[in-house]
Amino acid sequence: MFALGFFLLAGLLCQSLGQYDYYDEYYVPSAPLEGVSSPICAQECECPLQFPTAMYCNERKLKFIPIVPSGIKYLYLQNNLIEEIKAGVFDNATELRWLVLDNNNITSDKIQAGTIDKLSKLEKLLFSYNKLTKPPGPLSKSLDELKLISNQLSSFPANTLSGMENLTTIHLSENKLTTESITGAFKGLKSLVLLDVSENKLKKLPSGVPPSLLMLYADNNDIDSIPNGYLAKLPVLQYLRVSHNKLVDSGIPAGVFNVSSLLELDLSFNKLKSIPEINESLEHLYLQVNEINKFDLPNICKFSSPVNYSRLRTLRLDGNNITHSSMPDDTANCLRQASEIIFD
């Protein structure tokens, strides 16, 4: 399964690139067109001989999950018409590692006990584009990736992810989560590197996120301020995206973004009137479509010298109230590494 693992890793790395340069879906291969399936396979599905631990049941208009035979580690059920998970379907699937249920019609009340909660070796649960109102569970302590994109989640109990020390990535975008509903949900996740809570109903950035976090995406919410010292508690955070929110200058404490670990900061489509103070190590700053009316060079470079200058490579200021002529005389010295400065 090396090839499958490679594509998953590549997908995660792509998400850490530029502002619009990542693709958010897994590469999930189709079953090889060889026409020969393992004799242990469920008759509704395919189990290619060259991948004897994978069972492909995707895109077959299934309304139910077939009984999964023993020995299957990778189960693909995406793009079907499944509405429920009945007891017994996973009784023999004691080795299951990946479960892909994207694009079905499953509701929370139709997940019976003794199904997902029995999968003690599960590592990846892809359950996006369904009709869940709460996360399934209890979940395996072996889980390293959880994707619940575009469901109807309105609650996320604080103990849902308790003890999951292997969990590295959580995708919760396009749901109905509020700040209160995720309070305490991410505490103790010692390995978490990516948290995506974009397109929800948050008024604040999530609290209690672990210091291991590298990427935090909270675009398209109702966030109007950043807590003082928030980023100081995240010493290795590199990518922070808070675009399409309601941020104003009074909600940005002095120096809150001035942390040396940050490489990309996206504050576009907010209501800022000035450029916030950043660290000289920041490489990409997105401020387009705000209400900025002056070029605050000291917030980018405290002072410029042969060894003191900004590492910014990208600075977007289009859709604001400033132009190239707004830049102070010393801008070129400060932004000597910038390859893209956009005003309009």
Side-chain angles (χ1 to χ4, degrees), residues 23-93:
Y23 181 59
D24 196 35
E25 297 300 321
Y26 269 126
Y27 175 81
V28 180
S30 298
L33 300 175
E34 62 167 23
V36 179
S37 191
S38 167
I40 68 167
C41 197
Q43 64 179 2
E44 300 88 352
C45 308
E46 292 181 56
C47 304
L49 294 180
Q50 64 266 50
F51 297 122
T53 59
M55 189 162 88
Y56 295 87
C57 311
N58 52 299
E59 300 177 31
R60 295 164 194 268
K61 298 182 180 179
L62 298 180
K63 295 185 178 181
F64 61 90
I65 297 176
I67 299 295
V68 183
S70 61
I72 296 298
K73 295 183 179 180
Y74 307 92
L75 179 57
Y76 301 98
L77 289 159
Q78 71 274 18
N79 303 320
N80 280 295
L81 304 171
I82 299 168
E83 296 182 357
E84 63 180 319
I85 303 178
K86 294 182 179 180
V89 296
F90 298 133
D91 282 358
N92 300 319

Side-chain angles (χ1 to χ4, degrees), residues 284-318:
H284 304 280
L285 178 59
Y286 302 101
L287 292 168
Q288 66 268 28
V289 194
N290 274 278
E291 301 172 5
I292 297 171
N293 53 31
K294 59 180 179 178
F295 197 102
D296 301 289
L297 191 62
N299 285 348
I300 300 175
C301 292
K302 289 289 183 292
F303 63 94
S304 301
S305 73
V307 295
N308 291 286
Y309 55 90
S310 172
R311 271 62 178 179
L312 273 182
R313 291 188 283 145
T314 304
L315 174 58
R316 287 196 60 176
L317 288 163
D318 42 315

Side-chain angles (χ1 to χ4, degrees), residues 217-238:
Y217 303 153
D219 307 293
N220 291 282
N221 279 285
D222 297 317
I223 298 168
D224 59 7
S225 62
I226 307 293
N228 194 18
Y230 187 87
L231 273 66
K233 299 175 183 177
L234 301 174
V236 296
L237 188 70
Q238 296 183 4

Side-chain angles (χ1 to χ4, degrees), residues 148-178:
L148 300 173
I149 299 168
S150 196
N151 276 278
Q152 299 170 15
L153 299 178
S154 58
S155 68
F156 205 97
N159 62 351
T160 301
L161 306 177
S162 178
M164 294 188 183
E165 296 186 359
N166 296 321
L167 195 57
T168 61
T169 57
I170 302 173
H171 299 264
L172 299 174
S173 59
E174 300 177 41
N175 280 288
K176 300 177 180 180
L177 296 170
T178 63

